[in-house]
Every structure is written in structure tokens, then in C-alpha cells.
Amino acid sequence: MWLHAAGWGLLSGAGLLVGAAISYFISLSHRVISSVMGFGGGVLLSVLAFELMNEAAEHGSLISAIASFLVGALVFCTVNWFLSQHGAKNRKRCGGCVQQPTEAEQKGSGVAIAAGALLDSIPESIVIGMSLISGGSVGIPAVVGFFLANVPEGLSSASGMKQAGRSFVYIFGVWTSIVLLSGVGAVVGYTVFGQFPPEAAAIVMAFAGGAILAMVAETMIPEAFEGARSFIGLIATIGFLCAFALHKMSD
């Protein structure tokens, strides 16, 4: 089963590599990339609302779910703030008015961007591993939802990396490493956090959900709105509804 968890984690994370490859080899406009990012943001919001928080509230208490969700957001924002001071603030920007810094402009920004990418993927992979315990109901909808959201994340980030002069080896080295670590994270979610009592597991899931929402608000929404302001709300809504439909079909 831990190999099963690793496989689902790798599949979810593979969306990052798919997006990065598309962005690197195909020239896409800033508006197109931002629109796809808005779609991915809508997908993640739906997964959070109908999968993670709903699951956390059902297996734990509402109060503990809310508190854990807030703590997860606080922890993500704190770490993200620290990384932002070292060059990772615009790691999902693909151009336009705001761009990623080059290594010459901010020394160490390459490492910070890579660390930020890892920070963004950790909560998702842990949730996937946890959902496989006892046939958890989050499994397939979460994996597909995270995959769909990861494609635009990789798309936008890789485009920004390329514009900042990052090498082919750096770009695909980062995303290949993140995909592999997504598999490891899913194994950890299954073998460690998944063994917690249902109430404790619900707290961990809500914590991860808060971190993911903070990630969407701080790294995805700014890029989506800055590059495609017209109808970006509608595009995000379509992403939300696609994930919601997947959730209902899996019931």
C-alpha cells in the first residue's frame, strides 16, 4: 500500500512537470498562462471545500478543524514570508509587470525558489497519502484535482524561471525533484500521519488544507489576476465546478 501511495503522489506531482514542459517548449502568452493559473486556483478551492475540510469536520470536531486550518495557513504564510525575503516571492510569476529575480539580481534566489516550490507541494502529497487509509473518500478526486492544479503551477513557474535566465537543468531538475518528493510525501502521509486516530488525522488534514488555501491566495491568485483580469473570476469558477463535478461523480 505504501507503493500505492507513492504512485498516486507521483501522479499528482507529475502535473508540475507536464506544465513545465509545455511552458518551456511552447511559447504561450502571459494572458493564457495566467488564465490557466486562475483555472487551477478554482480547482484547488473546490478540493479544499468539498474534500479536505468536509473530511476533517466529519472525522473530527468543527472547532478543531477550524483551528487546525488557521494554524496551517499561519505556518505556510510564515515560511513563505521567510522564503520571499530570499528571492522566492514571485516564484509562480511568468512575466508581465512582476518577474522572478535572476541569480545576479538576488544571490540565492534559485535555492529559495526551489524551496518554495517544495513548500507548495508538501501539503498536497501528505493529504493524498492519508486519504488512502481504509479506503478514504478523498483519494481519486484529490489526486485528479491536485494534478489539474499542478499543471498551471508548473506552467507559470517554469515560464518565469526561463525568463529569469534559469538553465534547462535547473528548471527540470527542480520539477523532477518535486515530483519525486511528492511521492515521498504521499508515503509519509500514508505510513505516518495515516496511522493517527481519526480525530488526529482530521487535524492534520485541516492543517494541510489551511496551508494549501494560503498558497493559493499568496502565489496563484496574484499571478492569475495580474495577467488576465478580464473574466478571471469566471475562469476560476469553471475550475471550481470541474472539481466539484468530479467530487459528486465519485460519491
Side-chain angles (χ1 to χ4, degrees), residues 158-202:
S159 177
M161 291 175 183
K162 187 177 180 181
Q163 290 185 33
R166 309 288 179 189
S167 68
F168 175 91
V169 172
Y170 172 87
I171 294 173
F172 287 93
V174 165
W175 294 122
T176 300
S177 299
I178 298 302
V179 171
L180 294 175
L181 289 172
S182 294
V184 174
V187 172
V188 171
Y190 177 80
T191 59
V192 179
F193 296 109
Q195 305 306 318
F196 289 2
E199 296 79 9

Side-chain angles (χ1 to χ4, degrees), residues 42-68:
V43 169
L44 281 180
L45 291 177
S46 184
V47 171
L48 290 173
F50 297 105
E51 302 291 343
L52 303 191
M53 279 303 282
N54 187 53
E55 189 82 0
E58 284 184 359
H59 290 85
S61 69
L62 179 60
I63 298 300
S64 65
I66 292 174
S68 300

Side-chain angles (χ1 to χ4, degrees), residues 19-208:
I22 293 173
S23 177
Y24 193 88
F25 294 108
I26 301 176
S27 180
L28 299 174
S29 70
H30 185 206
R31 182 177 181 83
V32 169
I33 295 175
S34 297
S35 297
V36 178
M37 181 70 87
F39 176 88
V43 169
L44 281 180
L45 291 177
S46 184
V47 171
L48 290 173
F50 297 105
E51 302 291 343
L52 303 191
M53 279 303 282
N54 187 53
E55 189 82 0
E58 284 184 359
H59 290 85
S61 69
L62 179 60
I63 298 300
S64 65
I66 292 174
S68 300
F69 195 83
L70 286 171
V71 173
L74 175 61
V75 170
F76 177 91
C77 290
T78 301
V79 178
N80 190 50
W81 173 84
F82 174 79
L83 292 174
S84 296
Q85 306 308 302
H86 295 80
K89 181 178 181 180
N90 300 314
R91 61 183 176 275
K92 288 189 178 152
R93 292 305 187 106
C94 63
C97 299
V98 181
Q99 297 187 17
Q100 295 181 20
T102 65
E103 192 67 23
E105 291 172 336
Q106 187 162 3
K107 188 173 179 58
S109 59
V111 174
I113 290 171
L118 177 61
L119 172 68
D120 297 340
S121 67
I122 288 175
E124 298 175 2
S125 59
I126 289 176
V127 165
I128 289 172
M130 291 179 61
S131 72
L132 298 176
I133 299 295
S134 302
S137 62
V138 179
I140 300 302
V143 170
V144 176
F146 289 147
F147 177 88
L148 291 175
N150 280 337
V151 171
E153 288 186 53
L155 193 72
S156 184
S157 296
S159 177
M161 291 175 183
K162 187 177 180 181
Q163 290 185 33
R166 309 288 179 189
S167 68
F168 175 91
V169 172
Y170 172 87
I171 294 173
F172 287 93
V174 165
W175 294 122
T176 300
S177 299
I178 298 302
V179 171
L180 294 175
L181 289 172
S182 294
V184 174
V187 172
V188 171
Y190 177 80
T191 59
V192 179
F193 296 109
Q195 305 306 318
F196 289 2
E199 296 79 9
I203 290 175
V204 175
M205 188 166 291
F207 179 93

Side-chain angles (χ1 to χ4, degrees), residues 209-236:
I212 293 171
L213 180 57
M215 182 271 291
V216 172
E218 293 198 352
T219 67
M220 295 184 71
I221 291 177
E223 172 60 19
F225 184 74
E226 194 271 330
R229 299 187 182 189
S230 300
F231 297 102
I232 192 61
L234 177 61
I235 294 170

